[in-house]
Amino acid sequence: MKQRLQIIARIVLCMLLISAMLVGCSPKNSADSNGDSVGTDTSDNGTDETADTDTEGELEPVTLHFIFFGDKKAETDNVWAKIAEYTKDTLNATFDVQFIAGSDYQQKILLKAATGDTWDLNFDGDWLSYYQMIGKDAYMNLDELLPTYAPDLYAKYQESGAIEAAKNKGHIVAVPWTMVMNNRPLFQWRADLAQAAGITVDKDAFETVEDIDALLHQLKEKYPDKKMVENAGLDMFKAKYSYADIGHSMVIDLKDPECKVIPMEQTAAYLERAQWAEKWQADDLMWKDVLTDKLDHNELINQGLLITKFGTHEFANQNRAWVEEGASWDYAYVYEDGLYGNRTPLANVVAISATSENPERTLMFLNMLETDQTLYDLVHYGIEGVTYEKNGEEAVFPEGMNASNSNYMEWGGRWALWKPQFMRPDASYSEGFWTREAEAAKANPNNVVSPLEGFSLDTTAINTEIARRDQIYTDADKLLDVGLAGDAAAAVQKLIDDQKAAGVDAIVAEAQRQIDEFLASKAK
């Protein structure tokens, strides 16, 4: 690899000299819509020693094979032909873009890896086939390639801490989305109704579940016919105690460097949540048939029938089409001094196949996408006037189109390529929304990257115990969450005892073994 990079470096040096003589000649070496320079000089993005250069230093043409998620839309090939045209001076590549239906994706991408198929890049995620693919070493080691051919993207990962999440066996194997988000829970209420009732909320002093309880009682007194709260907000108590989920209703304490595994039902947070739920049922702040009424709770909120909720920064700040004219919501964080894990970078990734013939050129493309608004618009929205229209800065569907019949926009797998600095506003998210979302995540120093970022529990050896645990927990928790389990302390103790009898200790031991190995591998 080092010899390969030395060859590459010589080529890049030659191209730098040529670029110095020809500066200003390229038609695409111009400012993008944000006023930043969109460089086309391949010295910024690296080059490809497998594609020989001609006497003028141009890259040999290649075809890049990409695989995304879902159905292929009608204008896909035409859009990517435009992308090839726009990037010709920098990449000199055409694009073969294919899609695999969502229901078949996991099976088919694993089959392609097993049969040794050749392609360059594909979409994946921790909810899809990512862990199985890295378990088969199906993704390329990018330790040297990523910083060389995608330096801007690499710098972004270093800044956000996502680089550690992208590793397997100590090596970078994924190119995650660059969205920085944190779903730290907050409490929301109908601000217009509170104001009309003369209820003043001091948001600077609103910090605990006791503050929530006091507000709920004030609102209930003024609006006895409204529904107050739908559950007791377990995530709020996880924030209070700095717990992070690892799956199957187990947590770690983010303050614990050893990451000891704790069944959720054995925590103080779980008991406290159950006791508040019991209280709110007794105080008539939750409705008795909350589990059986078959009501759409989002619709209750939209219609003004449910007037508080637990939420996140994203959903507290997005645009909502309220049914009631003049409706408005406000929010406050609680337990901000507790540690809370950022949303995982592995939720949406692209990865380079271990069989890729053009990893360098693929990474150059990804680096351009990080820095070029015009390329971003082409990739995500397509061809203006054909696949989308502009309403000011907003990207909208052409007349007669929507998400269900779009000829390009909202294609599956684009999530891994979202860039908050370039995302255009739409009906739900205003201009600059995702940049503000990242700023909000960074604003609290207690929003942290989990020490288990990139860890996934392999349940192969404990499948039977896991199945029992999940069923027992789900049956008990749905009642405890809304205060319908009777005496909360007794119900929680029964859940603890039932889980012990069902083999939770074996699950914890296996999970801890895997976590210890994971942490040891990161320390090497």
Side-chain angles (χ1 to χ4, degrees):
M1 179 63 78
K2 289 182 177 179
Q3 182 179 6
R4 181 181 188 184
L5 289 177
Q6 288 172 352
I7 296 170
I8 295 168
R10 296 190 192 105
I11 296 171
V12 170
L13 179 60
C14 291
M15 295 183 71
L16 277 169
L17 294 173
I18 293 168
S19 297
M21 293 184 289
L22 300 178
V23 65
C25 295
S26 172
K28 286 196 180 71
N29 197 12
S30 57
D32 69 8
S33 59
N34 288 334
D36 297 325
S37 175
V38 181
T40 60
D41 181 351
T42 51
S43 64
D44 288 337
N45 295 297
T47 186
D48 178 357
E49 132 273 3
T50 63
D52 294 334
T53 58
D54 64 20
T55 56
E56 294 183 357
E58 293 181 355
L59 293 169
E60 289 291 333
V62 298
T63 298
L64 300 180
H65 302 274
F66 292 176
I67 302 170
F68 292 115
F69 180 90
D71 298 324
K72 186 172 183 176
K73 295 180 180 286
E75 289 291 329
T76 298
D77 289 339
N78 291 332
V79 169
W80 284 84
K82 285 287 187 183
I83 293 169
E85 179 183 328
Y86 178 74
T87 60
K88 180 174 175 57
D89 291 347
T90 304
L91 298 180
N92 199 16
T94 56
F95 297 88
D96 169 36
V97 178
Q98 301 301 325
F99 285 75
I100 299 175
S103 58
D104 298 330
Y105 195 91
Q106 185 173 10
Q107 178 184 356
K108 289 189 174 180
I109 202 71
L110 287 166
L111 180 61
K112 287 176 71 67
T115 56
D117 280 7
T118 300
W119 75 95
D120 295 299
L121 173 143
N122 66 275
F123 172 77
D124 212 336
D126 62 353
W127 53 276
L128 202 55
S129 50
Y130 176 73
Y131 289 114
Q132 289 144 300
M133 290 289 278
I134 63 174
K136 298 177 182 298
D137 294 323
Y139 291 145
M140 187 173 288
N141 178 342
L142 303 178
D143 288 354
E144 296 184 46
L145 292 170
L146 183 62
T148 301
Y149 293 100
D152 298 292
L153 189 56
Y154 182 70
K156 177 75 74 172
Y157 290 147
Q158 288 184 305
E159 176 188 344
S160 67
I163 201 71
E164 289 303 314
K167 290 183 178 180
N168 179 49
K169 300 175 184 176
H171 301 294
I172 303 169
V173 294
V175 184
W177 66 344
T178 58
M179 305 293 284
V180 177
M181 300 174 66
N182 188 290
N183 285 341
R184 175 182 289 275
L186 47 77
F187 189 72
Q188 298 176 252
W189 64 90
R190 277 285 296 272
D192 59 313
L193 296 181
Q195 183 178 9
I199 299 171
T200 301
V201 180
D202 182 355
K203 292 172 62 175
D204 291 333
F206 197 96
E207 299 176 339
T208 68
V209 65
E210 286 80 10
D211 295 321
I212 293 174
D213 181 64
L215 178 57
L216 288 172
H217 279 89
Q218 287 179 291
L219 290 168
K220 185 66 176 179
E221 181 181 357
K222 297 295 185 180
Y223 301 101
D225 296 331
K226 300 286 190 183
K227 296 183 185 299
M228 287 296 117
V229 65
E230 60 185 325
N231 59 51
L234 182 58
D235 284 345
M236 171 180 64
F237 294 97
K238 290 178 183 176
K240 177 180 179 179
Y241 289 91
S242 299
Y243 289 138
D245 291 309
I246 64 167
H248 302 287
S249 308
M250 297 184 291
V251 295
I252 60 165
D253 184 342
L254 288 169
K255 303 187 300 296
D256 176 13
E258 295 184 348
C259 296
K260 294 301 183 185
V261 178
I262 315 169
M264 190 67 226
E265 68 274 8
Q266 295 181 21
T267 66
Y270 194 81
L271 175 59
E272 190 173 340
R273 185 283 306 259
Q275 291 173 328
W276 278 103
E278 181 185 11
K279 179 183 186 301
W280 287 345
Q281 266 292 348
D283 293 350
D284 200 27
L285 298 175
M286 289 186 199
W287 57 107
K288 302 298 182 187
D289 59 347
V290 62
L291 293 180
T292 59
D293 61 12
K294 301 186 184 304
L295 297 174
D296 182 332
H297 292 187
N298 282 325
E299 195 59 30
L300 290 177
I301 291 169
N302 290 341
Q303 294 176 0
L305 301 176
L306 176 59
I307 62 173
T308 77
K309 72 185 300 290
F310 293 97
T312 64
H313 186 272
E314 175 188 351
F315 294 110
N317 288 277
Q318 73 174 141
N319 300 326
R320 294 286 292 267
W322 308 114
V323 175
E324 287 185 289
E325 185 176 354
S328 65
W329 286 70
D330 205 347
Y331 67 90
Y333 285 106
V334 289
Y335 302 115
E336 287 193 274
D337 54 348
L339 300 182
Y340 205 82
N342 289 332
R343 191 172 179 190
T344 174
L346 298 179
N348 296 291
V349 307
V350 287
I352 295 179
S353 169
T355 61
S356 171
E357 295 177 347
N358 294 290
E360 298 89 353
R361 213 80 65 94
T362 301
L363 286 167
M364 289 163 63
F365 164 79
L366 294 174
N367 198 66
M368 284 187 69
L369 196 63
E370 183 66 29
T371 59
D372 188 327
Q373 174 79 64
T374 301
L375 177 59
Y376 184 88
D377 285 350
L378 279 168
V379 169
H380 282 273
Y381 311 117
I383 303 168
E384 187 176 357
V386 178
T387 64
Y388 79 104
E389 304 284 355
K390 281 184 184 176
N391 179 16
E393 290 299 311
E394 184 179 357
V396 299
F397 291 108
E399 185 175 356
M401 287 187 195
N402 54 43
S404 64
N405 65 3
S406 163
N407 60 6
Y408 183 74
M409 277 217 302
E410 298 199 5
W411 51 272
R414 68 194 183 283
W415 318 295
L417 304 179
W418 273 352
K419 306 295 177 184
Q421 69 270 31
F422 295 143
M423 294 175 76
R424 293 188 175 277
D426 58 27
S428 297
Y429 301 107
S430 59
E431 184 173 359
F433 180 92
W434 295 105
T435 299
R436 294 192 297 275
E437 191 69 15
E439 291 170 350
K442 296 175 182 177
N444 186 341
N446 294 319
N447 293 340
V448 298
V449 176
S450 169
L452 297 186
E453 194 66 79
F455 172 79
S456 178
L457 178 64
D458 181 356
T459 63
T460 303
I462 47 174
N463 273 332
T464 301
E465 292 87 348
I466 285 287
R468 286 199 299 261
R469 171 169 177 75
D470 289 349
Q471 188 61 58
I472 293 169
Y473 184 93
T474 299
D475 290 345
D477 187 69
K478 66 184 179 184
L479 297 173
L480 286 161
D481 193 35
V482 294
L484 293 174
D487 179 83
V492 170
Q493 186 58 53
K494 182 179 185 305
L495 175 56
I496 292 172
D497 294 341
D498 289 347
Q499 290 287 4
K500 289 275 190 182
V504 69
D505 290 341
I507 296 173
V508 169
E510 176 62 15
Q512 193 66 61
R513 182 190 67 77
Q514 293 183 33
I515 286 173
D516 291 346
E517 290 180 358
F518 175 82
L519 293 174
S521 70
K522 287 180 65 175
K524 291 179 180 178

